[in-house]
């Protein structure tokens, strides 16, 4: 997917691997493509910056995922830490979860027409409408029924799925 991104790739959540996913994206991207990743953990952001210090087309922004908006629109946007409509990590912080739409990246602003968004770390859906932990799965529905996208859930393993959505070209 990175190879099909001619100008810009974005990622939220540089991460626990201190940039391993970003390294895969960078290795697959065309030579002229810029990559921007946002991480809210200062230590991880700092280590990742060090990892990519010799890669001038890779930029790590420290802060909340919304900083990814400073560099868009993207041909490929990978939501791996914030912006996923899953509650924006508020559960980790003990805070109140925002509604899915409030915590979700906006494809109309962040994707080029025809651009692709990837939302990681779902369990495979087994029902429709989908449920998670006994409740309606609002995050999954948010993406699969998004009016700006054509989206599908892909099962990667028996216990792991990803949603991939493509922004509809402008009419
Ligand atoms: C699953 S890990 C990402 C893994 C990473 N992409 C990799 O390949 O190693 C999630 C990361 O997102 C970060 N994160 C979570 N919520 C965030 C938010 N609201 N804004 C920015 N980063 C966030 C966490 O600090 C964590 O490092």
């Amino acid at each position: 997917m990175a190879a099909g991104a001619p100008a810009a790739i974005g990622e939220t959540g540089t991460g626990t691997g201190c940039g391993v996913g970003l390294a895969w994206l960078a290795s697959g991207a065309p030579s002229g493509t810029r990559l921007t990743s946002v991480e809210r953990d200062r230590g991880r952001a700092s280590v990742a910056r060090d990892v990519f210090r010799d890669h001038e087309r890779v930029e790590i922004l420290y802060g909340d995922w919304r900083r990814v908006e400073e560099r868009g629109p993207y041909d490929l946007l990978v939501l791996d830490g914030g912006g996923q409509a899953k509650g924006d990590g508020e559960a980790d912080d003990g805070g109140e979860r925002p509604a899915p739409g409030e915590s979700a990246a906006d494809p109309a602003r962040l994707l080029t027409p025809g651009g692709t968004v990837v939302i990681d770390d779902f369990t495979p859906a087994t029902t429709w409408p989908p449920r998670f932990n006994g409740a309606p799965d609002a995050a999954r529905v948010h993406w699969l029924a998004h009016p700006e996208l054509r989206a599908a859930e892909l099962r990667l393993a028996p216990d792991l799925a990803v949603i991939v959505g493509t922004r509809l070209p402008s009419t």
Side-chain angles (χ1 to χ4, degrees):
M1 294 178 80
I9 295 174
E11 179 191 49
T12 64
T14 317
T16 40
C18 296
V20 67
L22 185 58
W24 279 108
L25 291 168
S27 67
S31 58
T33 298
R34 294 179 299 104
L35 295 100
T36 304
S37 184
V38 183
E39 171 58 51
R40 73 175 175 187
D41 181 284
R42 187 189 294 270
R44 291 176 193 162
S46 170
V47 171
R49 274 197 190 124
D50 200 36
V51 168
F52 291 99
R53 64 185 176 280
D54 296 327
H55 298 258
E56 59 183 32
R57 67 198 173 102
V58 178
E59 181 179 28
I60 316 285
L61 301 177
Y62 163 60
D64 185 68
W65 71 270
R66 284 183 170 80
R67 289 203 66 194
V68 80
E69 296 169 2
E70 296 172 20
R71 298 289 187 273
Y74 302 97
D75 306 301
L76 174 63
L77 176 62
V78 180
L79 302 176
D80 203 13
Q84 298 166 306
K86 291 179 179 174
D88 197 14
E90 309 295 30
D92 305 344
D93 306 331
E96 193 176 325
R97 279 175 177 265
E102 293 169 21
S103 66
D106 179 3
R109 288 171 55 209
L110 288 172
L111 291 182
T112 55
T116 300
V117 61
V118 176
I119 310 102
D120 206 356
D121 291 333
F122 285 91
T123 54
T126 54
T127 61
W128 191 266
R131 298 178 70 80
F132 183 66
N133 283 342
D137 191 343
R140 194 183 312 251
V141 172
H142 174 83
W143 294 112
L144 291 175
H146 200 293
E148 295 282 343
L149 298 172
R150 288 287 181 268
E153 179 182 314
L154 308 179
R155 189 172 296 199
L156 306 178
D159 59 351
L160 181 65
V162 64
I163 291 176
V164 178
T166 299
R167 186 182 160 199
L168 298 170
S170 304
T171 52

